[in-house]
Amino acid sequence: MTERIRRTPGGRIQLALNVTDLDASIRFYSKLFGAGPAKVETGYANFAIDAPPLKLVLIEGDGGGSINHLGVEVDDTRDVHAASDRFGVAGLATEVEAGVTCCYAVQDKVWVTAPDGERWEYYTVLADSDEFAGASEGACCPGSA
């Protein structure tokens, strides 16, 4: 397992991209942001960029050059619950997941779907994991199955 990722106070935007060549993408984004990945696993890498505050996730597979999903990484589970409550009050349909294994991490999260189908997650990382996804393979990262 790798070292737990330090998060920016207040959260950071997450952009999860589908890529066809993980190694080439790691080289490119390392040059683009001037920082190497925080975690690299089979078919997966993530960058925890401080400036701009960005969690960039690369998922190797078909459909390179497309968005896998979007998100906001927050400090802890209370922030996930607050977002879920706010979404409910706003009339958004939510999918809450607690303690799920996703993208080589155990997470608490809430999902919402934008009008054009983009999936957004508000999530916090509870611990690292040696697994990409939990029981419903691909369910944690839409389009990754």
Side-chain angles (χ1 to χ4, degrees), residues 36-61:
K39 182 187 279 189
V40 178
E41 301 286 349
T42 303
Y44 173 89
N46 77 43
F47 292 74
I49 309 298
D50 288 332
L54 172 67
K55 178 69 158 281
L56 176 66
V57 177
L58 306 176
I59 300 171
E60 189 172 44

Side-chain angles (χ1 to χ4, degrees), residues 16-107:
L17 300 176
N18 295 315
V19 300
T20 54
D21 184 333
L22 184 63
D23 292 333
S25 295
I26 289 171
R27 287 190 299 275
F28 173 81
Y29 287 107
S30 293
K31 292 174 185 175
L32 180 67
F33 292 111
K39 182 187 279 189
V40 178
E41 301 286 349
T42 303
Y44 173 89
N46 77 43
F47 292 74
I49 309 298
D50 288 332
L54 172 67
K55 178 69 158 281
L56 176 66
V57 177
L58 306 176
I59 300 171
E60 189 172 44
D62 295 333
S66 62
I67 292 175
N68 185 285
H69 66 281
L70 303 160
V72 177
E73 181 184 35
V74 294
D75 293 329
D76 60 40
T77 299
R78 291 179 303 226
D79 296 328
V80 173
H81 291 301
S84 182
D85 291 346
R86 184 169 52 84
F87 299 154
V89 168
L92 298 175
T94 62
E95 298 170 46
V96 176
E97 297 178 321
V100 297
T101 299
C102 174
C103 297
Y104 296 102
V106 179
Q107 304 172 357

